[in-house]
Amino acid sequence: MKFVLWGTYCADVLERRTPYREEHLAGLKRQKEEGVLVTLGPTADTRFVFGLYEADDQEAVESLVKGDIYWRQGIWTAVEIHPWIQAF
């Protein structure tokens, strides 16, 4: 199944993420290598995060997101995960 993630970043995200960035990127790299993460990144204004995942179920994606250092440290302030149907 495919899932889309939308979320928001904290204020001053570029400064606040610095101590956690390497751990965050290493985790995303692992997810990509395992085939669960398709893509993830911020909008150009760094207000929102967008991601696409492929996983067995929504709970698996939620677990990955809630385990991310950005979530645990409040860099991501809210996330929504929705099943997604790829039409094209």
Side-chain angles (χ1 to χ4, degrees):
M1 295 180 65
K2 294 185 181 191
F3 299 89
V4 62
L5 171 140
W6 274 108
T8 55
Y9 284 103
C10 64
D12 301 322
V13 62
L14 298 179
E15 295 81 25
R16 290 190 52 201
R17 73 179 183 185
T18 300
Y20 315 110
R21 188 155 169 75
E22 284 188 40
E23 181 179 338
H24 170 68
L25 294 175
L28 296 179
K29 182 180 179 194
R30 278 191 305 276
Q31 292 174 23
K32 183 81 168 167
E33 290 169 351
E34 293 168 0
V36 69
L37 178 64
V38 177
T39 191
L40 187 132
T43 56
D45 62 5
T46 62
R47 291 179 49 217
F48 301 99
V49 59
F50 170 79
L52 292 174
Y53 291 84
E54 286 193 47
D56 292 335
D57 53 47
Q58 188 164 335
E59 291 76 22
V61 178
E62 289 172 356
S63 179
L64 291 171
V65 171
K66 301 296 174 147
D68 191 289
I69 189 76
Y70 275 18
W71 178 258
R72 296 190 330 263
Q73 294 298 324
I75 306 304
W76 290 337
T77 56
V79 293
E80 291 184 12
I81 300 164
H82 301 278
W84 178 59
I85 299 169
Q86 183 174 355
F88 293 98

